[in-house]
Structures are given as C-alpha cells and as structure tokens.
Amino acid sequence: MSVSIPYALSAEITHRCPLHCAYCSNPVELAKREHELSTQEWIRVFTEASELGVVQLHLTGGEPLMRPDVDQLIRQARELGFFVNVITSGVGVTEKRMQQLVDAGVDSMQLSIQASEPGLADAIAGSRAHEFKQKTAALIREAGIPLHMNVVLHRQNIHLVEEIIEMCVSWGAIRLELANTQYYGWALLNRQHLLPTRAQLAAAEEAFFRAKARFDRQIELIWVLPDYYEDFPKPCMGGWGEISMTVTPDGTVLPCTAASSIHTLTFESVKERSLEWIWRESAAFNSFRGFDWMAEPCRSCEHRFRDFGGCRCQAYLLAGDARQADPVCQWSPHHELISDILSSLNQDHDEPSVTAPHRPVPSYSYRGRFKKNGGMTGDHI
Amino acid sequence: MIAWGQREQLRLRSPARLKFDKARQTDMLLLPERVVNLNPTAGAILWLCDGTRSAHQIIGELEAKYNQSNLQEDVLEFLTQAIERGWIEKCP
Ligand code: SF4
Ligand code: SF4
C-alpha cells in the first residue's frame, strides 16, 4: 500500500490544563505529568517528523504553556523549519511570557474561548478564565502574531453565535473556528448536556450567516458542522494516516487525537519506535488506509473516496466496530443510534426558548474532575 | 493594467514562510492552517520575493535564469494572484 508523506504534527506536550471543559478532546484517561516526554525526547520527535516531511507543528495539550520548556521546543522546531502554531487557553500568558514565545519564533497562535458572556464562559470552562483570555488576545496582537480563535459550540452557548463572532472581531482575531462539538472522550460522556436541539441549531446557522455577511472582510469564519444532524458523515481528514498525526504527552502516536478511544488498536510509542516506522509500518496506522478494510455499505459506495466512510472513532464508539460506516451516515445499519438520540432530545426540548436557554449550567463531568464511578453510565453506549 | 507598481519591492506577507522540503523535493508555502505545494516556477518566483527585489527585477532574474525573454506576463499574473491571496505584499 502506498503511504503518503504527512504534513502536520499535533504535539500534545502535556495534558495538564487550568481549564476543565466538559467537551475536551483529550482522552478520559489523561496522561500523568511523570509520563510526559522530556525536552530531549520531544526534540527527537520533531527531528524525525521533519525528516518524514512534516512541515507544520501544532503545540497543543492540555495547555502547552504549562510546560516551562515550551520556548525551547519552539526554538528547536523553528530551526528544523516548521511553521509553529501554539494552541492555548490563554490562561497564564503574561507580557513577559508572550515575549519569550515571540523570541523563540512562534508563527501563529490559536486562542480558545468558551462563550461571549464571562459568567457562562467560566461555568463552561469550570474555571475563571474569560478575563485572562481577553488580555491574552491583546498581548498576542500587540506582539504582531496572527490571532486565531476557536470556540466549541453546544447547547449552552450555541445561542450566542453572533455575539461570539462580534467579540472575536473586537478582540482582533483574523480567523475564528466555530466548531460544533464532536462526541468523543469527555464530550461523549457529557453528550446529553451538550447536544443542541434542531431549533437551536437552525437559529445558530442563521446567526452565523448574518454575522458572516457583516464581518466577511474582517475575519475568516469557519463553521464545523454538527455531524449528528447531517445525513452523511464528515470526511475523516484526508483519510486515516494520510496527512497528519498526533503525539500524546507520553509519546503515543495516533492518527488523530480521538483515536486513543479505539481500544481494539494498539498505538505505538516514540519511546520504542521511530516516528517513521510508526507512520509507515505500524498496524494501527495501516488499519484504515486505502479502502480494503471497509464493510458494506461503504465498500461499494461511491462516497467513500470523499468521506472515507466517516469517522473511525465514532464507528467504534457507537457501533462497536471501527470498520463499520460512521453511524451518522443515513445508510449505516447503526444509524438509529443517532436518530433515536435526536428524536428523544427534540421531543423533550419542545420549548420555544431558542435564543436564551438560561437554564443553569448542567452537571457536567468536568474534564479532569471526572469521578470514576459517577459518569460512565447510560449515555455512554 | 495592474494595481501595483512593478518597481515596488515585494516580500512574503507575515506569517507566511517558504520551505524547500527534502522529503517531497518541493518548495512549500507555509501558512497558518494551510500548506501549499508549489510547482517549480511558483517556488522560484516566491523565493525572489525577499523584500529586496521589485517585480521588474524578479522578471529580469527569471528570464536570465531560464534563458527566456517572454516571462513578464506569466510572472505578473502569478504575482497578482499571490498578492490577492495574501501570500506576498509590497514593502511599505
Ligand atoms: S478518525 Fe474521526 S476524529 Fe479521527 S480524524 Fe478521522 S474523523 Fe476525525
Ligand atoms: S455508506 Fe459509507 S462511504 Fe457511503 S456515504 Fe455512508 S459512510 Fe460514506
């Protein structure tokens, strides 16, 4: 099988984070600090990635700035020729810290926010963070670094789409990704509190297009579709193991951050193998390359070249088999797993409060505060 | 015909960066959230947008390098597109 050359590496340099978002994409089993790769180990990973053809490096986490060696990592990455993007919650960024990042050579920064109202934003993050973020946005701009922002949308903030866009424009962002929640890890655990109703979604889409017309020249706006409400699944990147990979804090190499949820695969670590071997030879990376692994209906479906059968993680988490069609697909034999959730949700929430669901914030399983025996029931297949 | 002067110096627009990638043996333009594989001509043009050369000079150098005399139109078209896409800009 021909193996392509990867473009991007997401380095989750730590899972530590001052925030506790209930939709965090980190696995429910967070990597512990003592298992994190050392500075030298990360530099080796970056060097191998560069030789493999990776040109873009995303430093992410958790909160990457929790690692005191992040400047050193950025400097090394720049020497290797990477475009270095730092994805931050914005907490703990001082003027001095920002200057260190700039001196080290950071190319762009992506700041995550939770909402446009501080109270709600802090409730979602499980932490008082919103006011820091505004300061961080200003520091990034003053340093001349392009500011990208992102927000995860769900039932508690999706009515604020237009306000969120206004806020990001006023903070000076040049790009904003409005990502409807993807249900893996923490988000799947909290799905019943996060999934918006159909009416909320329709209102949000209208708000998005209104704002897009208003601000089109000032900010690039990206709308990540809520796949549960689509007829067909989102495409899996450019295909599994085709364009990018993720390295977790302890050195495990994944095709994407959500993939660790697929327990039927064994993911190799840079502590034992070279990155090149893992990318080219490992069973996990080769499992879903090409099209031969597919089951029907994907196997003979003409959409397979475009969507690759959808998300492998979602197929595993919902249908119990990563080779199946993504249950979001209306042709999937497991599609009821999605449609049943949606129909019961949309019956229960038959109320008109589309624009202002000022219900109290629900009892999330906050990331990192999850009680082992408390949350895994009911909603988690 | 074009909105910018051929004598103004051109440079990459921050934070865009060029890289020759050994693994692919190609010039690549690196942008936030995006990577562009450049064909050899596009790569050759963009490497010359280093803040010291004008479009006029870039055309001259490329014509000398490729031993041709008719590159003006193609190079200007590419540079115009590159400005529109935000890859390069005029030096202030
Ligand atoms: S497997 Fe799923 S989460 Fe991973 S990249 Fe593909 S679509 Fe995204
Ligand atoms: S059957 Fe498979 S390939 Fe076809 S649209 Fe559905 S998920 Fe995609």
Side-chain angles (χ1 to χ4, degrees):
Chain A
M1 185 180 312
S2 79
V3 175
S4 63
I5 298 176
Y7 287 93
L9 175 80
S10 290
E12 292 177 353
I13 56 178
T14 181
H15 276 163
R16 287 174 282 147
C17 184
L19 271 48
H20 302 275
C21 304
Y23 49 75
C24 180
S25 62
N26 287 165
V28 174
E29 291 294 336
L30 298 169
K32 295 209 175 60
R33 179 181 199 156
E34 57 267 32
H35 298 142
E36 288 177 8
L37 295 184
S38 67
T39 312
Q40 287 316 313
E41 285 172 314
W42 276 117
I43 291 171
R44 176 172 69 80
V45 171
F46 296 169
T47 309
E48 291 181 7
S50 172
E51 283 161 8
L52 199 50
V54 172
V55 290
Q56 226 170 14
L57 179 67
H58 302 285
L59 293 179
T60 179
E63 171 52 62
L65 303 184
M66 299 279 278
R67 283 203 44 148
D69 59 354
V70 67
D71 320 13
Q72 203 184 336
L73 295 177
I74 293 171
R75 196 164 275 121
Q76 288 286 340
R78 282 296 310 266
E79 263 169 39
L80 289 163
F82 288 110
F83 191 99
V84 182
N85 179 36
V86 170
I87 301 173
T88 180
S89 68
V91 177
V93 180
T94 57
E95 211 174 323
K96 182 161 164 253
R97 196 85 178 90
M98 192 61 218
Q99 194 53 50
Q100 289 167 340
L101 298 176
V102 172
D103 293 345
V106 64
D107 286 298
S108 68
M109 291 183 70
Q110 193 182 100
L111 175 66
S112 62
I113 50 156
Q114 280 65 33
S116 50
E117 294 169 358
L120 176 62
D122 291 348
I124 293 169
S127 165
R128 288 199 53 192
H130 191 76
E131 64 171 280
F132 287 107
K133 290 171 185 273
Q134 184 165 9
K135 290 192 191 121
T136 300
L139 287 173
I140 293 172
R141 296 227 16 245
E142 282 156 20
I145 302 293
L147 171 64
H148 290 196
M149 291 176 66
N150 69 283
V151 62
V152 174
L153 297 177
H154 47 80
R155 199 188 304 157
Q156 299 303 317
N157 67 0
I158 196 166
H159 61 293
L160 295 170
V161 160
E162 203 162 2
E163 289 86 342
I164 290 170
I165 296 172
E166 281 167 5
M167 187 186 85
C168 292
V169 169
S170 76
W171 286 13
I174 54 166
R175 183 180 195 269
L176 167 63
E177 194 176 292
L178 297 126
N180 280 279
T181 307
Q182 315 277 321
Y183 295 98
Y184 321 112
W186 293 96
L188 183 58
L189 220 50
N190 287 300
R191 185 172 60 184
Q192 58 186 10
H193 302 305
L194 294 170
L195 200 60
T197 64
R198 197 178 294 280
Q200 277 189 309
L201 193 62
E205 276 171 353
E206 258 176 49
F208 174 78
F209 285 111
R210 261 199 317 273
K212 197 167 161 64
R214 285 170 62 200
F215 298 115
D216 207 24
R217 289 170 173 276
Q218 293 166 62
I219 190 165
E220 184 188 352
L221 294 172
I222 319 256
W223 179 256
V224 179
L225 287 168
D227 62 347
Y228 274 42
Y229 281 101
E230 297 292 307
D231 295 332
F232 293 109
K234 62 181 184 299
C236 173
M237 307 178 286
W240 177 272
E242 286 292 319
I243 57 172
S244 64
M245 66 185 114
T246 294
V247 180
T248 67
D250 64 3
T252 308
V253 189
L254 306 170
C256 67
T257 184
S260 65
S261 59
I262 305 180
H263 294 305
T264 44
L265 295 178
T266 307
F267 295 104
E268 310 279 343
S269 168
V270 293
K271 288 180 177 162
E272 275 101 46
R273 297 282 197 167
S274 75
L275 200 64
E276 180 177 8
W277 185 90
I278 297 171
W279 175 261
R280 289 184 186 282
E281 312 288 341
S282 71
F285 271 82
N286 282 314
S287 290
F288 307 118
R289 282 191 170 128
F291 302 93
D292 292 344
W293 54 269
M294 285 182 171
E296 292 294 354
C298 297
R299 200 176 178 77
S300 51
C301 174
E302 60 191 41
H303 290 218
R304 69 186 185 283
F305 303 110
R306 191 183 50 79
D307 72 13
F308 311 97
C311 176
R312 296 306 90 226
C313 304
Q314 198 142 265
Y316 176 78
L317 289 168
L318 300 185
D321 178 356
R323 285 166 305 184
Q324 294 289 320
D326 185 331
V328 160
C329 179
Q330 57 180 346
W331 297 327
S332 154
H334 303 94
H335 186 58
E336 275 179 9
L337 293 168
I338 303 276
S339 51
D340 287 355
I341 293 164
L342 293 185
S343 50
S344 77
L345 172 75
N346 286 295
Q347 268 161 23
D348 296 350
H349 289 78
D350 222 1
E351 88 271 53
S353 63
V354 170
T355 46
H358 283 304
R359 279 171 255 119
V361 171
S363 53
Y364 294 135
S365 293
Y366 281 112
R367 170 204 190 275
R369 291 184 186 153
F370 170 57
K371 284 184 217 68
K372 264 272 155 58
N373 307 320
M376 274 291 205
T377 51
D379 202 42
H380 186 82
I381 302 306
Chain B
M1 184 187 93
I2 41 167
W4 46 281
Q6 287 182 42
R7 309 225 166 243
E8 285 165 301
Q9 279 142 0
L10 298 170
R11 64 175 182 197
L12 287 188
R13 182 162 169 231
S14 172
R17 213 130 45 66
L18 278 171
K19 178 178 188 185
F20 177 74
D21 176 51
K22 288 202 201 97
R24 297 174 185 79
Q25 292 290 307
T26 337
D27 287 318
M28 302 177 92
L29 182 69
L30 311 183
L31 301 156
E33 318 290 338
R34 204 169 342 199
V35 177
V36 185
N37 284 333
L38 299 166
N39 65 33
T41 336
I45 300 173
L46 288 180
W47 278 110
L48 294 175
C49 297
D50 61 356
T52 72
R53 296 171 170 89
S54 65
H56 185 74
Q57 288 166 313
I58 291 171
I59 293 163
E61 284 194 34
L62 289 170
E63 288 182 342
K65 180 175 168 192
Y66 294 108
N67 206 5
Q68 290 189 27
S69 57
N70 52 355
L71 295 180
Q72 167 140 347
E73 203 177 317
D74 289 348
V75 176
L76 284 182
E77 192 189 318
F78 176 81
L79 288 173
T80 307
Q81 278 181 17
I83 289 176
E84 279 165 10
R85 290 184 185 164
W87 297 353
I88 57 170
E89 63 186 2
K90 297 175 285 188
C91 294

